[in-house]
């Protein structure tokens, strides 16, 4: 085991001294005396008892095959291994350098009975296979987040789903409370809906609703700001971003790409005004004896040009699920789109309820014969733990209504009604979900949901999820 470390001048000793018998636990648990500069960062370790050396050599005990401290081991055992007997609270949030590795996956079986001409499905699929790297570098206020994603619908391709850098400039430069004002850039989820803000591993059902997918802004490359307002009895968290366009995270950029030159803008705020939300973004783990509530709202807007085919072809219309571009007159070269969302979620005595409503307008088309288009919709979802923290009963209604499918001539609608059961082996770290959905005119095209445009019929999904 490592038994020596160097302490630079200015630590507990007056002279440069090599310390014998400094254990790995000393290295891990020691606090930084300063994080202003890498050159000035030192580990403050109490002087050990026994002899000390003033030579310029580092002394080691005879090496052991593994490093062991407080139930954690690291070494080589037919491969490099880091092992822990329990979930440690390492308290590294204030360390200037740290790395956390997480992963999670969802294996799903889907079977459907859909009216023709759409086709049925009966397959095993990897819906999400994620590997995440997050942490800080050089300063606790400078953080990074990288997420890789593999899924069977993309064959053997692994994509860079997220890559973002965040800087808590308020804390670092102005001495504000952490999280009060920060900057973010990279590819990440755009701040708009609560449904997209949720991690896929936090879903109660196997996936998002039809309505939340229809009104989704998804990911993009962006510059953003985030922070919190702490003038109330509860914090209000907010975020805003300027980005390439709606649903453009996977679009090719640069001169050879298919994006227009118009930026999009989105913003979201949310708060927990009543009670302590606790574990689980949706499910009521622990069974709140008192009501807990979370509320939020979002806004997004962009001008979309036909020259940017990635974005121009992304918007879909109600009922048929066709792209808006496919039914617009050929002389329409651009339009403006604005979206709004409001949401409320509650937890109380094993019950969890979530409601999110959306509005979308398509205006300013360069054809005087075209009218403005308006769509709206929602998803309402509830869950109840029949067996506390283990067996949960689920129900959901998703509805979309609007005139986009007829270019303003009449109103059409799409429905999604679903029920399911979830068994939690270890909360959202390990669970199994079975759900059955009835669709009446799907307005989306989503491989993640196993839904195609215009689907009418039944869909059954069973899924195993594991995360670490």
């Amino acid at each position: 085991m490592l038994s020596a470390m160097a302490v630079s001048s200015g630590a507990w000793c007056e002279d440069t001294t090599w310390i014998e018998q400094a254990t790995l636990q000393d290295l891990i648990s020691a606090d930084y005396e300063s994080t202003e500069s890498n050159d000035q960062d030192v580990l403050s370790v109490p002087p050990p008892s026994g002899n000390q050396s003033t030579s310029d050599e580092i002394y080691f005990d005879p090496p052991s095959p593994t490093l062991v401290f407080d139930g954690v081991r690291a070494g080589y055992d037919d491969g490099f291994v880091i092992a822990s007997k329990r979930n440690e609270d390492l308290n590294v949030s204030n360390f200037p350098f740290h790395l956390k590795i997480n992963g999670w996956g969802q294996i799903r079986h889907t079977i459907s009975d859909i009216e023709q001409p759409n086709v049925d499905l009966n397959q095993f699929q990897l819906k999400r296979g994620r590997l995440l790297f997050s942490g800080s570098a050089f300063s606790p206020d400078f953080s990074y987040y990288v997420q890789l994603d593999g899924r069977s619908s993309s064959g053997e391709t692994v994509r860079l789903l997220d890559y973002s850098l965040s800087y808590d400039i308020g804390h670092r430069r102005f001495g504000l409370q952490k999280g009060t004002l920060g900057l973010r850039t990279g590819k990440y989820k755009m701040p708009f809906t609560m449904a997209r803000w949720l991690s896929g591993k936090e879903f109660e059902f196997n996936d998002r609703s039809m309505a939340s997918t229809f009104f989704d802004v998804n990911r993009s490359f962006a510059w953003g700001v985030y922070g919190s307002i702490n003038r109330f009895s509860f914090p209000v968290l907010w975020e805003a971003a300027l980005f390439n366009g709606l649903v453009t995270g996977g679009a090719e950029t640069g001169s050879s790409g298919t994006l227009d030159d118009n930026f999009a803008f989105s913003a979201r705020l949310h708060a927990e005004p009543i009670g302590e939300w606790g574990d689980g973004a949706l499910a009521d783990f622990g069974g709140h004896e008192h009501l807990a509530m979370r509320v939020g709202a979002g806004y997004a807007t962009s001008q979309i040009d036909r020259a940017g085919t990635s974005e121009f072809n992304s918007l879909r219309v109600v009922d048929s699920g066709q792209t808006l571009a496919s039914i617009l007159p050929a002389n329409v070269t651009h339009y403006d789109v604005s979206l709004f969302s409001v949401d409320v979620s509650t937890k109380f005595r094993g019950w969890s309820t979530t409601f999110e409503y959306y509005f979308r307008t398509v205006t300013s088309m360069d054809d005087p014969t075209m009218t403005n288009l308006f769509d709206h919709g929602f998803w309402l979802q509830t869950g109840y733990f029949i067996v506390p923290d283990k067996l949960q009963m689920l129900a959901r209604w998703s509805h979309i209504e609007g005139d986009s499918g007829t270019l303003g001539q009449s109103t059409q609608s799409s429905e999604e009604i679903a029920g399911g059961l979830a068994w939690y082996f270890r909360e959202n770290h390990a669970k199994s979900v079975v759900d059955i959905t009835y669709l009446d005119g799907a307005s989306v095209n989503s491989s993640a949901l196993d839904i195609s445009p215009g689907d009418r019929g039944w869909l059954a999904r069973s899924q195993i999820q594991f995360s670490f």
Side-chain angles (χ1 to χ4, degrees):
M1 179 176 291
L2 178 65
S3 62
M5 64 170 286
V7 178
S8 62
S9 178
W12 62 268
C13 55
E14 295 180 359
D15 301 321
T16 301
T17 305
W18 300 108
I19 308 174
E20 296 181 329
Q21 306 303 323
T23 67
L24 185 60
Q25 180 62 52
D26 295 329
L27 300 179
I28 296 297
S29 61
D31 294 327
Y32 280 92
E33 292 184 347
S34 170
T35 58
E36 294 297 323
S37 165
N38 287 340
D39 295 332
Q40 295 176 354
D41 285 346
V42 296
L43 289 171
S44 177
V45 182
S49 58
N51 296 329
Q52 298 179 0
S53 171
T54 57
S55 70
D56 291 335
E57 298 181 5
I58 302 178
Y59 296 97
F60 295 89
D61 284 340
S64 63
T66 59
L67 298 177
V68 185
F69 62 101
D70 199 20
V72 178
R73 293 189 177 190
Y76 187 86
D77 185 1
D78 292 327
F80 291 102
V81 176
I82 302 174
S84 176
K85 290 185 177 180
R86 56 186 176 273
N87 187 8
E88 301 282 354
D89 183 9
L90 298 179
N91 192 25
V92 297
S93 61
N94 289 323
F95 279 42
F97 294 92
H98 81 273
L99 167 66
K100 177 186 285 188
I101 302 175
N102 297 97
W104 59 282
Q106 295 171 335
I107 303 292
R108 183 187 303 173
H109 173 254
T110 302
I111 185 169
S112 62
D113 183 12
I114 303 297
E115 293 181 9
Q116 294 182 348
N118 290 12
V119 298
D120 294 335
L121 188 66
N122 182 20
Q123 292 182 358
F124 293 108
Q125 304 175 73
L126 172 64
K127 279 303 176 183
R128 295 173 176 89
R130 303 282 175 85
L131 189 60
L132 296 81
F133 304 88
S134 61
S136 62
F138 305 108
S139 165
D141 297 318
F142 185 77
S143 59
Y144 58 87
Y145 181 86
V146 179
Q147 182 171 209
L148 305 178
D149 174 64
R151 55 186 61 194
S152 56
S153 60
S154 299
E156 297 180 349
T157 302
V158 176
R159 59 176 176 162
L160 183 62
L161 187 64
D162 294 295
Y163 183 96
S164 65
L165 304 173
S166 301
Y167 181 49
D168 192 340
I169 190 172
H171 180 257
R172 185 67 174 179
R173 294 301 181 189
F174 306 112
L176 302 177
Q177 183 178 342
K178 282 191 173 183
T180 302
L181 177 63
L183 306 175
R184 179 171 292 133
T185 188
K187 179 186 176 185
Y188 57 98
K189 293 180 179 181
M190 295 301 95
F192 176 49
T193 69
M194 187 269 291
R196 177 55 61 181
W197 169 77
L198 288 172
S199 168
K201 65 182 179 181
E202 297 282 351
F203 297 160
E204 292 177 308
F205 276 83
N206 281 312
D207 224 300
R208 295 181 174 90
S209 70
M210 179 178 63
S212 58
T213 304
F214 182 83
F215 295 97
D216 193 19
V217 171
N218 212 315
R219 290 170 165 84
S220 189
F221 290 93
W223 286 93
V225 293
Y226 65 92
S228 63
I229 302 171
N230 301 302
R231 297 187 177 183
F232 310 101
S233 58
F234 52 88
V236 177
L237 305 180
W238 60 270
E239 185 172 1
L242 188 68
F243 56 102
N244 278 341
L246 310 181
V247 197
T248 58
E252 184 180 351
T253 59
S255 58
S256 62
T258 55
L259 294 174
D260 61 28
D261 292 329
N262 305 316
F263 288 134
F265 171 80
S266 72
R268 172 173 171 77
L269 58 83
H270 70 274
E272 299 167 7
I274 301 177
E276 296 291 334
W277 192 254
D279 295 333
L282 292 179
D284 184 19
F285 296 117
H288 283 63
E289 287 299 320
H290 302 282
L291 178 68
M293 177 181 291
R294 180 181 62 215
V295 296
Y299 170 71
T301 186
S302 180
Q303 182 182 91
I304 301 176
D305 292 343
R306 187 179 288 273
T309 54
S310 290
E311 193 174 2
F312 198 80
N313 293 330
S314 66
L315 265 66
R316 295 190 176 269
V317 300
V318 178
D319 190 57
S320 69
Q322 293 177 280
T323 63
L324 177 59
S326 68
I327 64 174
L328 281 176
N331 63 320
V332 175
T333 62
H334 68 263
Y335 56 81
D336 295 343
V337 59
S338 297
L339 302 102
F340 306 85
S341 70
V342 292
D343 62 88
V344 58
S345 302
T346 62
K347 292 181 179 181
F348 183 62
R349 294 185 177 178
W351 287 93
S352 56
T353 303
T354 304
F355 179 70
E356 188 164 34
Y357 211 110
Y358 311 102
F359 307 88
R360 186 183 75 180
T361 61
V362 179
T363 62
S364 303
M365 286 179 275
D366 56 343
D367 183 340
T369 66
M370 291 295 298
T371 185
N372 295 338
L373 308 178
F374 176 65
D375 300 317
H376 60 103
F378 64 85
W379 61 286
L380 172 63
Q381 180 172 302
T382 187
Y384 177 69
F385 275 108
I386 303 171
V387 179
D389 295 346
K390 290 296 182 182
L391 180 61
Q392 186 186 31
M393 177 176 58
L394 303 167
R396 181 166 73 193
W397 176 28
S398 175
H399 175 82
I400 307 171
E401 184 175 328
D403 58 15
S404 60
T406 62
L407 295 181
Q409 300 305 306
S410 62
T411 298
Q412 296 177 306
S413 65
S414 299
E415 305 283 349
E416 175 195 24
I417 300 173
L421 290 172
W423 180 265
Y424 297 85
F425 300 97
R426 189 181 179 88
E427 296 188 350
N428 284 314
H429 290 288
K431 68 181 180 181
S432 177
V433 180
V434 177
D435 61 40
I436 299 176
T437 301
Y438 176 72
L439 300 167
D440 184 10
S443 298
V444 301
N445 183 24
S446 173
S447 60
L449 274 62
D450 297 312
I451 296 177
S452 298
D455 274 357
R456 283 180 167 81
W458 293 90
L459 180 72
R461 301 173 294 194
S462 56
Q463 182 170 280
I464 293 290
Q465 174 178 300
F466 174 78
S467 69
F468 63 88

